[in-house]
Amino acid sequence: MGKVRLWDAPVRLFHWSVVVLFGALWWSGENGKIDLHKTIGLVMLGLVVFRVLWGFLGGSTARFGSFVKGPGAVLTHLKASREGRAPTVVGHNPLGGWSVMVLLGLLALQVGLGLIAQDTDAVASGPLNHFVSYDTGDAAGEAHEVVFNILLLFVALHVAAVLFYLFVKRDNLVHPMLSGRKAFTQAVEQPTFAPAWRFLLSVALAAAFAGWIALGAPFSLEQAKQAWQAPPPSAEESYM
């Protein structure tokens, strides 16, 4: 009973970093700051990769295995919630767990489309655009905008759910994501947390992957060296 350490620092940093970067991506895209937009997109890529790794290497409340449940568990949770007898869950409940997975999936799709996308004039393109045809890059650019609107809808639903829990269920979900701790009125099982070396390993792998993608995903040291040393193409060169 009392306050329990619920969310570890990596989970909370990921959550709030996504909030900040999502707004920054929207602003940079709307204002034509393409280079900044691509840089932020690569940071978002690193975050998504990190969260996937942390879903296997992190503590008990961060691991996918603790909150990704089948349809039956989700339906049972919804029925119990309607009847006011939902059990106390330390971490994400079955529905919240799928909300996390949908968010990660949409973010991964959005970033992936941005990596191969190009604008209609083929002036600006993602770092992996050279792997696809002009038509594919053009279609990816259009889909990139569509998925962003879907993400906006998802964010709106997420905020609505947080407000519902706050004002209807009297359950503040924001404070634990800030402090890492949550008060429970009954005895619950204490979560376990991962050692620091797993966090450092996950960060290193995610950063290395994002850096590799930023170089155009070279498959040899020579290609990586050339990509690192090559100056960015001008708008005219990109168009040609």
Side-chain angles (χ1 to χ4, degrees):
M1 297 176 63
K3 286 192 174 182
V4 173
R5 186 184 172 199
L6 184 62
W7 305 117
D8 58 21
V11 167
R12 287 179 283 138
L13 285 172
F14 169 80
H15 182 277
W16 296 113
S17 294
V18 167
V19 172
V20 173
L21 291 182
F22 188 77
L25 283 168
W26 170 82
W27 179 86
S28 58
E30 286 294 310
N31 290 276
K33 308 291 185 180
I34 302 303
D35 289 339
L36 178 61
H37 187 77
K38 291 196 293 185
T39 299
I40 299 173
L42 288 167
V43 176
M44 182 70 84
L45 169 64
L47 276 177
V48 172
V49 173
F50 167 79
R51 186 61 185 91
V52 171
L53 291 172
W54 202 240
F56 296 99
L57 299 176
S60 58
T61 54
R63 293 198 178 199
F64 299 139
S66 70
F67 59 78
V68 178
K69 308 297 182 181
V74 175
L75 293 175
T76 299
H77 170 76
L78 289 173
K79 181 180 179 181
S81 296
R82 286 198 302 268
E83 296 173 354
R85 56 179 181 83
T88 300
V89 178
V90 181
H92 296 295
N93 62 47
L95 184 60
W98 278 107
S99 175
V100 172
M101 300 309 293
V102 170
L103 172 63
L104 279 176
L106 287 174
L107 287 175
L109 177 60
Q110 178 71 345
V111 172
L113 290 169
L115 294 177
I116 64 173
Q118 67 191 23
D119 63 12
T120 55
D121 296 325
V123 173
S125 59
L128 302 186
N129 177 257
H130 57 281
F131 286 118
V132 301
S133 66
Y134 174 88
D135 290 338
T136 300
D138 189 50
E142 295 179 1
H144 191 62
E145 297 183 10
V146 173
V147 175
F148 179 77
N149 290 328
I150 296 175
L151 270 167
L152 282 178
L153 176 60
F154 179 84
V155 169
L157 290 173
H158 179 71
V159 172
V162 170
L163 293 176
F164 172 78
Y165 268 83
L166 178 62
F167 293 109
V168 177
K169 293 197 168 188
R170 303 298 180 182
D171 187 1
N172 189 335
L173 301 180
V174 176
H175 185 267
M177 194 55 71
L178 288 169
S179 67
R181 297 181 179 274
K182 182 176 181 178
F184 290 90
T185 57
Q186 62 188 50
V188 295
E189 183 178 354
Q190 296 288 330
T192 59
F193 296 93
W197 70 265
R198 291 188 186 179
F199 169 71
L200 296 175
L201 176 62
S202 300
V203 170
L205 291 174
F209 182 79
W212 179 64
I213 294 296
L215 293 175
F219 290 98
S220 69
L221 290 176
E222 185 61 29
Q223 288 179 333
K225 182 179 179 181
Q226 292 175 358
W228 181 265
Q229 294 176 344
S234 64
E236 183 178 356
E237 289 172 338
S238 299
Y239 182 79
M240 295 174 63

